[in-house]
Amino acid sequence: MNPRAHNGWVIWATLLFALVLSVAPMPEGIELGRPLWVALFLVYWVLALPHRGGMGLAFVFGLMLDVLSGTLLGQNGLPLLLTVFLVMSLQQRLRMFPLWQQSVVLLVILGLGQLVQLWLNTLVGNRPPTLLFLIPVPVSALLWPWVFVSLQWLRRRFEVY
């Protein structure tokens, strides 16, 4: 195997880029539908290389997202852990699905993660007044094919195995 084939820095760089996308300023009307970038990127790496990304990586980036967004520590980590756990348990099946079916499954998985996030927000006392909190889920599911193709190109370009 090529010694260059273990470019793990690409995984970290893409996840850091997802963190930046998660906190980058957006116009007022679009802010509500901000995609779940960190979850999408983590799902890709868990599907593509399950031995390289996992629960620990999800929790670490959840904590980083907590620090960047100013929420309680663990408030983003728990939904990301749930998302990665569900994807890891369905990983063999999900890899065989076409991208549109993966998007539908991710719609359900990310929806469960957002409901856990809503529950945690309610426990903390920051409950949003409506279920508009779930708008990022279909937006993320619609973006999944483009995220998948982009990260797959990066993985092949930098020979990340």
Side-chain angles (χ1 to χ4, degrees), residues 8-39:
W9 64 268
V10 175
I11 297 171
W12 285 88
T14 57
L15 289 172
L16 288 173
F17 179 67
L19 279 174
V20 169
L21 288 175
S22 294
V23 296
M26 291 181 72
E28 187 75 29
I30 303 174
E31 177 70 32
L32 190 60
R34 180 188 298 272
L36 306 169
W37 292 113
V38 176

mmCIF file of all heavy atoms in Angstrom, residues 8-39:
data_model
loop_
_atom_site.group_PDB
_atom_site.id
_atom_site.type_symbol
_atom_site.label_atom_id
_atom_site.label_comp_id
_atom_site.label_asym_id
_atom_site.label_seq_id
_atom_site.Cartn_x
_atom_site.Cartn_y
_atom_site.Cartn_z
ATOM 1 N N GLY A 8 -5.034 10.958 6.698
ATOM 2 C CA GLY A 8 -6.079 11.222 7.678
ATOM 3 C C GLY A 8 -6.349 12.697 7.886
ATOM 4 O O GLY A 8 -7.427 13.063 8.362
ATOM 5 N N TRP A 9 -5.404 13.533 7.517
ATOM 6 C CA TRP A 9 -5.603 14.969 7.679
ATOM 7 C C TRP A 9 -6.757 15.461 6.814
ATOM 8 O O TRP A 9 -7.390 16.471 7.145
ATOM 9 C CB TRP A 9 -4.322 15.739 7.362
ATOM 10 C CG TRP A 9 -3.871 15.621 5.947
ATOM 11 C CD1 TRP A 9 -3.010 14.701 5.429
ATOM 12 C CD2 TRP A 9 -4.264 16.457 4.853
ATOM 13 N NE1 TRP A 9 -2.856 14.909 4.082
ATOM 14 C CE2 TRP A 9 -3.618 15.987 3.704
ATOM 15 C CE3 TRP A 9 -5.110 17.555 4.733
ATOM 16 C CZ2 TRP A 9 -3.780 16.558 2.450
ATOM 17 C CZ3 TRP A 9 -5.280 18.134 3.482
ATOM 18 C CH2 TRP A 9 -4.609 17.632 2.362
ATOM 19 N N VAL A 10 -7.056 14.757 5.716
ATOM 20 C CA VAL A 10 -8.169 15.164 4.852
ATOM 21 C C VAL A 10 -9.496 15.044 5.615
ATOM 22 O O VAL A 10 -10.367 15.914 5.506
ATOM 23 C CB VAL A 10 -8.189 14.326 3.558
ATOM 24 C CG1 VAL A 10 -9.409 14.648 2.713
ATOM 25 C CG2 VAL A 10 -6.919 14.549 2.761
ATOM 26 N N ILE A 11 -9.630 13.979 6.406
ATOM 27 C CA ILE A 11 -10.846 13.787 7.203
ATOM 28 C C ILE A 11 -11.001 14.945 8.183
ATOM 29 O O ILE A 11 -12.071 15.557 8.286
ATOM 30 C CB ILE A 11 -10.799 12.430 7.938
ATOM 31 C CG1 ILE A 11 -10.773 11.286 6.937
ATOM 32 C CG2 ILE A 11 -11.971 12.295 8.899
ATOM 33 C CD1 ILE A 11 -10.506 9.929 7.543
ATOM 34 N N TRP A 12 -9.929 15.256 8.900
ATOM 35 C CA TRP A 12 -9.973 16.347 9.875
ATOM 36 C C TRP A 12 -10.227 17.686 9.190
ATOM 37 O O TRP A 12 -10.981 18.510 9.695
ATOM 38 C CB TRP A 12 -8.681 16.385 10.683
ATOM 39 C CG TRP A 12 -8.632 15.290 11.693
ATOM 40 C CD1 TRP A 12 -8.158 14.020 11.503
ATOM 41 C CD2 TRP A 12 -9.122 15.341 13.025
ATOM 42 N NE1 TRP A 12 -8.314 13.292 12.651
ATOM 43 C CE2 TRP A 12 -8.899 14.083 13.605
ATOM 44 C CE3 TRP A 12 -9.712 16.333 13.784
ATOM 45 C CZ2 TRP A 12 -9.257 13.790 14.906
ATOM 46 C CZ3 TRP A 12 -10.066 16.046 15.093
ATOM 47 C CH2 TRP A 12 -9.838 14.781 15.633
ATOM 48 N N ALA A 13 -9.601 17.914 8.040
ATOM 49 C CA ALA A 13 -9.786 19.185 7.328
ATOM 50 C C ALA A 13 -11.230 19.350 6.862
ATOM 51 O O ALA A 13 -11.801 20.441 6.979
ATOM 52 C CB ALA A 13 -8.832 19.263 6.138
ATOM 53 N N THR A 14 -11.838 18.280 6.357
ATOM 54 C CA THR A 14 -13.224 18.390 5.905
ATOM 55 C C THR A 14 -14.174 18.613 7.083
ATOM 56 O O THR A 14 -15.127 19.381 6.968
ATOM 57 C CB THR A 14 -13.661 17.147 5.111
ATOM 58 O OG1 THR A 14 -13.485 15.978 5.915
ATOM 59 C CG2 THR A 14 -12.884 17.027 3.815
ATOM 60 N N LEU A 15 -13.899 17.967 8.206
ATOM 61 C CA LEU A 15 -14.756 18.159 9.375
ATOM 62 C C LEU A 15 -14.582 19.561 9.969
ATOM 63 O O LEU A 15 -15.559 20.163 10.441
ATOM 64 C CB LEU A 15 -14.489 17.079 10.416
ATOM 65 C CG LEU A 15 -14.985 15.685 10.017
ATOM 66 C CD1 LEU A 15 -14.509 14.640 11.005
ATOM 67 C CD2 LEU A 15 -16.492 15.659 9.891
ATOM 68 N N LEU A 16 -13.373 20.090 9.933
ATOM 69 C CA LEU A 16 -13.168 21.478 10.379
ATOM 70 C C LEU A 16 -13.870 22.458 9.438
ATOM 71 O O LEU A 16 -14.427 23.464 9.872
ATOM 72 C CB LEU A 16 -11.680 21.789 10.478
ATOM 73 C CG LEU A 16 -10.949 21.123 11.645
ATOM 74 C CD1 LEU A 16 -9.442 21.359 11.541
ATOM 75 C CD2 LEU A 16 -11.478 21.616 12.978
ATOM 76 N N PHE A 17 -13.849 22.141 8.140
ATOM 77 C CA PHE A 17 -14.581 22.960 7.170
ATOM 78 C C PHE A 17 -16.080 22.910 7.458
ATOM 79 O O PHE A 17 -16.779 23.925 7.367
ATOM 80 C CB PHE A 17 -14.283 22.471 5.749
ATOM 81 C CG PHE A 17 -14.995 23.235 4.682
ATOM 82 C CD1 PHE A 17 -14.698 24.559 4.430
ATOM 83 C CD2 PHE A 17 -15.982 22.618 3.915
ATOM 84 C CE1 PHE A 17 -15.368 25.263 3.445
ATOM 85 C CE2 PHE A 17 -16.653 23.315 2.926
ATOM 86 C CZ PHE A 17 -16.343 24.638 2.687
ATOM 87 N N ALA A 18 -16.589 21.736 7.844
ATOM 88 C CA ALA A 18 -18.004 21.601 8.208
ATOM 89 C C ALA A 18 -18.325 22.447 9.442
ATOM 90 O O ALA A 18 -19.404 23.042 9.524
ATOM 91 C CB ALA A 18 -18.353 20.137 8.447
ATOM 92 N N LEU A 19 -17.395 22.486 10.399
ATOM 93 C CA LEU A 19 -17.593 23.346 11.578
ATOM 94 C C LEU A 19 -17.699 24.812 11.174
ATOM 95 O O LEU A 19 -18.547 25.553 11.686
ATOM 96 C CB LEU A 19 -16.445 23.171 12.563
ATOM 97 C CG LEU A 19 -16.482 21.978 13.496
ATOM 98 C CD1 LEU A 19 -15.193 21.900 14.298
ATOM 99 C CD2 LEU A 19 -17.675 22.040 14.410
ATOM 100 N N VAL A 20 -16.836 25.231 10.268
ATOM 101 C CA VAL A 20 -16.864 26.625 9.804
ATOM 102 C C VAL A 20 -18.187 26.909 9.103
ATOM 103 O O VAL A 20 -18.806 27.955 9.325
ATOM 104 C CB VAL A 20 -15.663 26.911 8.877
ATOM 105 C CG1 VAL A 20 -15.810 28.255 8.183
ATOM 106 C CG2 VAL A 20 -14.362 26.857 9.656
ATOM 107 N N LEU A 21 -18.646 25.975 8.257
ATOM 108 C CA LEU A 21 -19.934 26.155 7.581
ATOM 109 C C LEU A 21 -21.090 26.222 8.575
ATOM 110 O O LEU A 21 -22.088 26.900 8.340
ATOM 111 C CB LEU A 21 -20.182 25.031 6.579
ATOM 112 C CG LEU A 21 -19.349 25.035 5.306
ATOM 113 C CD1 LEU A 21 -19.638 23.785 4.486
ATOM 114 C CD2 LEU A 21 -19.629 26.275 4.488
ATOM 115 N N SER A 22 -20.948 25.512 9.685
ATOM 116 C CA SER A 22 -22.017 25.461 10.684
ATOM 117 C C SER A 22 -22.183 26.763 11.458
ATOM 118 O O SER A 22 -23.260 27.023 11.992
ATOM 119 C CB SER A 22 -21.762 24.330 11.679
ATOM 120 O OG SER A 22 -21.847 23.099 11.035
ATOM 121 N N VAL A 23 -21.139 27.559 11.538
ATOM 122 C CA VAL A 23 -21.228 28.807 12.303
ATOM 123 C C VAL A 23 -21.045 30.050 11.433
ATOM 124 O O VAL A 23 -21.100 31.168 11.949
ATOM 125 C CB VAL A 23 -20.211 28.828 13.473
ATOM 126 C CG1 VAL A 23 -20.525 27.749 14.470
ATOM 127 C CG2 VAL A 23 -18.787 28.730 12.976
ATOM 128 N N ALA A 24 -20.848 29.868 10.140
ATOM 129 C CA ALA A 24 -20.676 31.013 9.239
ATOM 130 C C ALA A 24 -21.968 31.832 9.192
ATOM 131 O O ALA A 24 -23.063 31.273 9.231
ATOM 132 C CB ALA A 24 -20.305 30.537 7.839
ATOM 133 N N PRO A 25 -21.851 33.146 9.138
ATOM 134 C CA PRO A 25 -23.061 33.981 9.093
ATOM 135 C C PRO A 25 -23.855 33.736 7.808
ATOM 136 O O PRO A 25 -23.281 33.516 6.747
ATOM 137 C CB PRO A 25 -22.535 35.402 9.145
ATOM 138 C CG PRO A 25 -21.066 35.338 9.077
ATOM 139 C CD PRO A 25 -20.632 33.920 9.139
ATOM 140 N N MET A 26 -25.171 33.745 7.968
ATOM 141 C CA MET A 26 -26.083 33.575 6.829
ATOM 142 C C MET A 26 -27.126 34.675 6.870
ATOM 143 O O MET A 26 -27.372 35.252 7.923
ATOM 144 C CB MET A 26 -26.769 32.202 6.902
ATOM 145 C CG MET A 26 -25.852 31.038 6.671
ATOM 146 S SD MET A 26 -26.719 29.463 6.746
ATOM 147 C CE MET A 26 -27.658 29.503 5.242
ATOM 148 N N PRO A 27 -27.778 34.946 5.747
ATOM 149 C CA PRO A 27 -28.867 35.934 5.769
ATOM 150 C C PRO A 27 -29.974 35.506 6.724
ATOM 151 O O PRO A 27 -30.193 34.315 6.957
ATOM 152 C CB PRO A 27 -29.362 35.941 4.318
ATOM 153 C CG PRO A 27 -28.220 35.417 3.515
ATOM 154 C CD PRO A 27 -27.476 34.479 4.403
ATOM 155 N N GLU A 28 -30.682 36.472 7.253
ATOM 156 C CA GLU A 28 -31.687 36.245 8.293
ATOM 157 C C GLU A 28 -32.737 35.210 7.896
ATOM 158 O O GLU A 28 -33.071 34.328 8.660
ATOM 159 C CB GLU A 28 -32.368 37.576 8.631
ATOM 160 C CG GLU A 28 -33.310 37.512 9.800
ATOM 161 C CD GLU A 28 -32.594 37.434 11.124
ATOM 162 O OE1 GLU A 28 -31.468 37.952 11.222
ATOM 163 O OE2 GLU A 28 -33.160 36.860 12.055
ATOM 164 N N GLY A 29 -33.263 35.273 6.701
ATOM 165 C CA GLY A 29 -34.327 34.363 6.288
ATOM 166 C C GLY A 29 -33.869 32.944 6.045
ATOM 167 O O GLY A 29 -34.640 32.000 6.155
ATOM 168 N N ILE A 30 -32.616 32.759 5.709
ATOM 169 C CA ILE A 30 -32.084 31.433 5.376
ATOM 170 C C ILE A 30 -31.497 30.737 6.603
ATOM 171 O O ILE A 30 -31.330 29.524 6.615
ATOM 172 C CB ILE A 30 -31.018 31.552 4.265
ATOM 173 C CG1 ILE A 30 -31.623 32.242 3.047
ATOM 174 C CG2 ILE A 30 -30.487 30.204 3.850
ATOM 175 C CD1 ILE A 30 -30.613 32.530 1.968
ATOM 176 N N GLU A 31 -31.217 31.485 7.639
ATOM 177 C CA GLU A 31 -30.581 30.952 8.851
ATOM 178 C C GLU A 31 -31.345 29.765 9.429
ATOM 179 O O GLU A 31 -30.754 28.813 9.927
ATOM 180 C CB GLU A 31 -30.459 32.056 9.897
ATOM 181 C CG GLU A 31 -29.878 31.622 11.210
ATOM 182 C CD GLU A 31 -28.397 31.287 11.129
ATOM 183 O OE1 GLU A 31 -27.686 31.905 10.322
ATOM 184 O OE2 GLU A 31 -27.968 30.399 11.877
ATOM 185 N N LEU A 32 -32.651 29.800 9.339
ATOM 186 C CA LEU A 32 -33.489 28.745 9.906
ATOM 187 C C LEU A 32 -33.270 27.405 9.228
ATOM 188 O O LEU A 32 -33.365 26.354 9.852
ATOM 189 C CB LEU A 32 -34.962 29.161 9.794
ATOM 190 C CG LEU A 32 -35.975 28.325 10.532
ATOM 191 C CD1 LEU A 32 -35.674 28.347 12.029
ATOM 192 C CD2 LEU A 32 -37.362 28.858 10.274
ATOM 193 N N GLY A 33 -32.925 27.428 7.945
ATOM 194 C CA GLY A 33 -32.728 26.190 7.196
ATOM 195 C C GLY A 33 -31.280 25.793 7.031
ATOM 196 O O GLY A 33 -30.947 25.059 6.093
ATOM 197 N N ARG A 34 -30.408 26.237 7.919
ATOM 198 C CA ARG A 34 -28.983 25.900 7.814
ATOM 199 C C ARG A 34 -28.813 24.382 7.868
ATOM 200 O O ARG A 34 -29.278 23.721 8.783
ATOM 201 C CB ARG A 34 -28.198 26.531 8.958
ATOM 202 C CG ARG A 34 -26.710 26.213 8.918
ATOM 203 C CD ARG A 34 -25.990 26.689 10.161
ATOM 204 N NE ARG A 34 -26.047 28.126 10.332
ATOM 205 C CZ ARG A 34 -25.162 28.970 9.802
ATOM 206 N NH1 ARG A 34 -24.176 28.520 9.087
ATOM 207 N NH2 ARG A 34 -25.290 30.262 10.012
ATOM 208 N N PRO A 35 -28.137 23.816 6.856
ATOM 209 C CA PRO A 35 -27.941 22.355 6.850
ATOM 210 C C PRO A 35 -27.106 21.887 8.041
ATOM 211 O O PRO A 35 -26.351 22.660 8.632
ATOM 212 C CB PRO A 35 -27.186 22.098 5.545
ATOM 213 C CG PRO A 35 -27.414 23.310 4.715
ATOM 214 C CD PRO A 35 -27.607 24.455 5.666
ATOM 215 N N LEU A 36 -27.245 20.637 8.368
ATOM 216 C CA LEU A 36 -26.479 20.022 9.453
ATOM 217 C C LEU A 36 -25.148 19.533 8.880
ATOM 218 O O LEU A 36 -24.932 18.342 8.656
ATOM 219 C CB LEU A 36 -27.287 18.866 10.057
ATOM 220 C CG LEU A 36 -28.692 19.241 10.521
ATOM 221 C CD1 LEU A 36 -29.503 18.007 10.843
ATOM 222 C CD2 LEU A 36 -28.606 20.160 11.715
ATOM 223 N N TRP A 37 -24.251 20.482 8.651
ATOM 224 C CA TRP A 37 -23.011 20.190 7.941
ATOM 225 C C TRP A 37 -22.150 19.155 8.654
ATOM 226 O O TRP A 37 -21.637 18.228 8.021
ATOM 227 C CB TRP A 37 -22.207 21.473 7.724
ATOM 228 C CG TRP A 37 -22.834 22.425 6.777
ATOM 229 C CD1 TRP A 37 -23.344 23.648 7.068
ATOM 230 C CD2 TRP A 37 -23.036 22.251 5.368
ATOM 231 N NE1 TRP A 37 -23.849 24.239 5.937
ATOM 232 C CE2 TRP A 37 -23.667 23.404 4.882
ATOM 233 C CE3 TRP A 37 -22.736 21.227 4.475
ATOM 234 C CZ2 TRP A 37 -24.006 23.565 3.538
ATOM 235 C CZ3 TRP A 37 -23.088 21.382 3.142
ATOM 236 C CH2 TRP A 37 -23.700 22.538 2.685
ATOM 237 N N VAL A 38 -21.959 19.317 9.936
ATOM 238 C CA VAL A 38 -21.078 18.390 10.669
ATOM 239 C C VAL A 38 -21.656 16.980 10.604
ATOM 240 O O VAL A 38 -20.929 16.010 10.374
ATOM 241 C CB VAL A 38 -20.876 18.856 12.125
ATOM 242 C CG1 VAL A 38 -20.053 17.851 12.904
ATOM 243 C CG2 VAL A 38 -20.209 20.217 12.160
ATOM 244 N N ALA A 39 -22.953 16.845 10.770
ATOM 245 C CA ALA A 39 -23.584 15.528 10.702
ATOM 246 C C ALA A 39 -23.426 14.923 9.309
ATOM 247 O O ALA A 39 -23.112 13.731 9.174
ATOM 248 C CB ALA A 39 -25.053 15.632 11.078
#
